Amino acid sequence: MTAAELKLDLINRIANLEESRIIEEIKSFLDFEQDTTVFQLSDEQKERLLKAQNDEILTEDEANNEIEKWLQEK
């Protein structure tokens, strides 16, 4: 299927959707894909990226613990 055919198929399928929740999800995805805003990283995020580039990674347990800690702060 060509890109043009895929687009037409999606347009038709979206036009027939009745659930606004699904339409909103599609819109959110498209808005995200088209966003050209420069993403600003915190110093901590920059540090993590540098560590990842040097293969310094967290274990699954360490990552889960950090996620739990972060969720408790919210």
Side-chain angles (χ1 to χ4, degrees):
M1 201 177 261
T2 67
E5 292 169 328
L6 284 171
K7 288 178 185 179
L8 286 174
D9 181 49
L10 285 172
I11 290 167
N12 289 328
R13 292 171 69 183
I14 292 169
N16 292 320
L17 285 174
E18 294 184 13
E19 281 194 55
S20 60
R21 178 187 60 82
I22 296 172
I23 297 167
E24 288 170 7
E25 291 280 336
I26 293 168
K27 183 181 180 318
S28 294
F29 178 75
L30 292 173
D31 289 345
F32 175 78
E33 285 295 311
Q34 295 174 346
D35 186 5
T36 58
T37 306
V38 176
F39 188 76
Q40 298 295 321
L41 298 176
S42 68
D43 290 338
E44 185 177 354
Q45 290 169 321
K46 290 175 186 175
E47 182 181 329
R48 287 291 177 105
L49 285 174
L50 289 173
K51 287 182 178 181
Q53 289 172 340
N54 293 324
D55 291 328
E56 297 174 35
I57 58 173
L58 298 175
T59 66
E60 183 177 356
D61 287 336
E62 290 170 328
N64 287 336
N65 287 337
E66 288 203 12
I67 291 169
E68 285 299 320
K69 180 182 171 186
W70 178 78
L71 288 172
Q72 290 174 3
E73 292 174 0
K74 297 292 173 189

